[in-house]
Structures are given as C-alpha cells and as structure tokens.
Amino acid sequence: MMLARMGSLHALEQDKGNRFWRRWLGRALPSADTIGRVFSQVVLVSIRSLLHHLYSRLKRNKALKKTHGFQVLILDGHEHTSSYLRCCSGCLRRTIHTREGDRIQYYHRNVLAMLSGRDFPVLLDVEEQKRKENEVSCALRLCERILKDYPRAFSVVVADGLYLEAPFFKLFLRHGKHIIAVLKDERRDLMEDARGLFQQEKPLIQIEGNLKRQIWDMEGFTSWQSLKREIRVVRCVETRTIRRQRTGEIEEETSEWIWATTLSQKEASTEAIIHLGHDRWLIENKVINEMVTYWHADHVYHHHPTAIVAFWLTLMLVLNLFRAFLYLNIKPEWRSKHTQIYFAMLISSALYQAMYPKIPP
C-alpha cells in the first residue's frame, strides 16, 4: 500500500476486488478496519528489527557513505496530525484561543532520527512525544534506544538549537559521540561571550560563485557551566546575490548561522562544521517534507498510539528500501533524467503488470 503511495486504508479497501491482491497474498485483502486493528496490536520491536536488519545489509554492502568525513545522525521533531474532534490515549492537548472561545486541540508530535549518507539518507527510528514532556525529553528516550541498537552507526549528531541542553550533550559524550547544535539563544552566556570575541577577530572570507561567507571559528569557551567542558563555536555570515524573478532586480540576501560543537579544530575543519550544520535541513527537506507531500506520512491511518508509530516505522522501512533500490540499482544517468516519484510510479504499475498476462493487440 505505501509503496504504491495509497493515501489511506480506505483507498486500499476500494481496490480490494482487484485480483492482484489475491494472487499476490494468496488470500483476500483484509478490510481497512482489520488492518487498523492489527497495527494497533503489532509489536513495534518487530518493525524496528526490520529497520536494523536493512541498515546492517546496507553497511555490509558498503552502501553507507560518509558525508564530509563523518557518519552523521540528524534529529528533528515533527507535528504530524492535529484535530479538534478525534483523540486517543496518546494525544497531546493544547488550548487554542478562537473568536468563538477556547477550544481543546488534540495533536501528535514525534522525533525522527536518520543517518545522513552521501548518496541517500537512511531512516533509523521514530519516537512519539508523550504528555507533559517536551521534544528534548522525547529525543533523549529515542537516543538512548538508538545508542543501544546502533552503537557504531554514527560519530557525530547534528540537531537544532532546541537540543542545546546539557543532558542531551552529556548523553552522547558518555558514548564517545560528538554533537553539533545551532546556537541561537541570545540570552545564553555562551552566545554573549562568543559575540564579544568575534567582534575582535577578523573573519575568514570564502567566495563560492554568488555566495560569500564570513567565518569565525573559536574554541575553548567555558561559559556553558552546566556542561563542564570546553565548547567550540563557529559563526558563518552568508551573503548570496540573487535576481528577483518578478522584477529582475539583483539583491543580496544575508543569513547568519552559529553552531556550538564538541568537535575540536583538530578533529573537524571549519568547512566541515559549516557543511554538517547545514545538513540538518536534510531531515526536513529530503525526509519529512517528502514523506508528508508524496507518501502521506501525516495521514492517520488508524487513530491509536501504537498504530500511529507502527505506520510511521513501516513507511520508514518502505522509503529505505525504495531509496536503496534507486541508488544501488538504477544508473546515475537514468536517475538524473527522472524524479523519484517517476520511479515510484513505475514500481507501483509493475506490481499490477507482473500479475496479469499482457492483453493481445
């Protein structure tokens, strides 16, 4: 169903009469209610073991390429559903102020973990956020399981500024991992000290086409007292020249990025920190947005806390298999001519064509 990119269990059930399913499964296709009920009772460890098995096969076949010299784990949170009417025991709640008065909204959030490979990302695990906990607490629970199941899969963790907390850093440091996190809280002593020292130093200038970078890289900061170790801070001011499509005018866009990292200058170059810091957007652009837009990840197939996680894990397994097939079996010249959705449609149509003989002309 997910490989064929069907948007719901009811869409699958409407195709129940197709002989393809009986030939492929050896029996009639279950109803939408049956599939939803089974997913609400499935043991999540079984799906996670399949994800781990696929990761092991890819690693054994040397398909997991390092990016910028490191194996990188990227974490990010995502709110995937909300409703004023439907809820389950796992729903989070918040009060929304409207013109008609306050309303209770039910929603679900999760934290997703993926490996950022040079060729394609590999999704590892997902964890649902529970009531009365924030995203970082949910991520810590997820990371403890990942460190247990994938102890040698990565050496560097990249995360948003929300994860710039001592317990999060200490968890990975105890396991010999390094962290890169966005530093964007102006109230932090670390930010104040870094800005004060950056003003006294001349930046390194890099020019790549229409992109100009001003870079500051300093280590030895001890302002983060709760972490009890030195931190390195990298600042990058990027100025890009663009032409407005509507008016044709040439303008300059400037953006500032500041990262705090446990990697020393000997362990990672300034360029590596900048590229790894920017790679954090891959989990939103190449993973979450694609899952939501093209693979119906935000659809609630069955509103049950276990079923919701089970469907997410199943979709992650499908996408890992699809991307592995695409990059390891399709020649680059052919991939460059078509989108991933094109190949997904070919696979979907082939599922039906393989089960039926060709109609003679």
Side-chain angles (χ1 to χ4, degrees):
M1 178 194 70
M2 290 181 167
L3 190 60
R5 298 190 305 117
M6 293 184 178
S8 68
L9 293 178
H10 294 290
L12 177 64
E13 191 174 41
Q14 290 177 3
D15 199 39
K16 185 177 180 179
N18 197 322
R19 291 178 298 169
F20 161 77
W21 298 111
R22 181 174 290 277
R23 293 188 182 187
W24 190 38
L25 299 175
R27 53 167 294 173
L29 186 71
S31 66
D33 291 338
T34 300
I35 297 175
R37 186 174 64 255
V38 170
F39 265 77
S40 66
Q41 300 174 8
V42 71
V43 180
L44 298 178
V45 175
S46 61
I47 310 179
R48 290 190 170 108
S49 65
L50 291 174
L51 283 164
H52 188 277
H53 174 71
L54 178 58
Y55 158 78
S56 300
R57 290 290 300 272
L58 291 173
K59 184 178 181 180
R60 191 180 307 119
N61 293 332
K62 302 185 184 303
L64 304 178
K65 307 295 184 181
K66 292 183 178 180
T67 174
H68 311 298
F70 296 94
Q71 294 285 8
V72 181
L73 176 74
I74 302 180
L75 300 169
D76 196 20
H78 174 62
E79 180 177 324
H80 53 88
T81 182
S82 62
S83 173
Y84 289 106
L85 302 175
R86 300 181 62 187
C87 69
C88 67
S89 59
C91 278
L92 306 176
R93 300 182 182 185
R94 61 190 169 200
T95 302
I96 303 297
H97 304 288
T98 66
R99 293 181 179 179
E100 293 77 17
D102 293 349
R103 300 185 65 185
I104 301 298
Q105 187 180 62
Y106 308 99
Y107 65 101
H108 284 267
R109 287 186 59 86
N110 60 25
V111 178
L112 197 70
M114 79 167 197
L115 288 180
S116 174
R118 188 182 65 189
D119 297 327
F120 59 93
V122 177
L123 300 166
L124 295 185
D125 205 346
V126 66
E127 183 71 20
E128 282 286 305
Q129 185 173 327
K130 298 180 179 179
R131 295 180 183 178
K132 298 182 180 180
E133 74 171 2
N134 56 24
E135 182 179 319
V136 178
S137 299
C138 177
L140 284 172
R141 192 168 60 254
L142 170 64
C143 293
E144 289 175 353
R145 186 168 62 245
I146 288 178
L147 287 168
K148 179 182 177 181
D149 296 341
Y150 302 90
R152 302 177 62 183
F154 59 96
S155 57
V156 176
V157 181
V158 180
D160 191 11
L162 187 66
Y163 297 85
L164 197 72
E165 294 188 4
F168 182 81
F169 271 58
K170 289 180 179 179
L171 173 63
F172 287 102
L173 290 172
R174 287 198 302 268
H175 290 81
K177 313 295 183 182
H178 287 286
I179 310 99
I180 301 174
V182 178
L183 179 60
K184 58 184 179 182
D185 191 348
E186 298 289 345
R187 297 169 297 176
R188 288 183 177 271
D189 294 336
L190 179 59
M191 174 70 87
E192 294 179 359
D193 291 349
R195 287 197 179 280
L197 291 176
F198 288 153
Q199 292 178 357
Q200 304 174 17
E201 297 289 335
K202 291 185 178 180
L204 173 67
I205 306 297
Q206 290 184 350
I207 298 178
E208 298 179 6
N210 65 340
L211 176 64
K212 177 184 177 181
R213 290 194 179 104
Q214 301 179 66
I215 303 170
W216 294 262
D217 186 355
M218 301 183 69
E219 56 184 356
F221 287 95
T222 58
S223 307
W224 194 356
Q225 297 181 0
S226 58
L227 186 61
K228 298 180 180 180
R229 66 161 288 164
E230 295 183 352
I231 284 291
R232 175 185 177 189
V233 179
V234 177
R235 180 192 181 202
C236 180
V237 178
E238 299 180 350
T239 304
R240 190 183 302 272
T241 303
I242 61 172
R243 183 185 295 274
R244 294 296 179 185
Q245 185 175 5
R246 183 179 171 213
T247 62
E249 297 180 356
I250 297 178
E251 297 182 6
E252 289 188 347
E253 284 188 347
T254 301
S255 57
E256 181 188 48
W257 300 91
I258 303 178
W259 297 280
T261 178
T262 59
L263 285 163
S264 66
Q265 294 178 350
K266 293 182 179 180
E267 293 170 318
S269 65
T270 304
E271 291 77 11
I273 298 297
I274 293 173
H275 288 298
L276 290 173
H278 284 314
D279 281 353
R280 186 188 67 83
W281 291 102
L282 293 176
I283 196 169
E284 293 187 12
N285 298 333
K286 279 196 172 183
V287 177
I288 294 178
N289 284 347
E290 287 187 7
M291 292 174 72
V292 171
T293 305
Y294 302 111
W295 301 88
H296 312 288
D298 280 0
H299 179 78
V300 180
Y301 293 94
H302 185 69
H303 206 144
H304 185 277
T306 302
I308 289 174
V309 180
F311 277 111
W312 266 86
L313 290 170
T314 303
L315 179 57
M316 290 164 61
L317 178 63
V318 169
L319 288 179
N320 286 346
L321 287 168
F322 171 71
R323 291 192 176 108
F325 168 78
L326 196 64
Y327 283 88
L328 301 179
N329 293 274
I330 305 298
K331 293 183 178 180
E333 295 80 7
W334 188 248
R335 289 202 312 268
S336 63
K337 296 179 181 178
H338 303 283
T339 64
Q340 292 188 19
I341 296 302
Y342 169 82
F343 291 104
M345 294 174 66
L346 286 182
I347 294 175
S348 178
S349 62
L351 288 175
Y352 290 89
Q353 293 175 0
M355 302 304 298
Y356 299 104
K358 293 184 178 179
I359 300 175

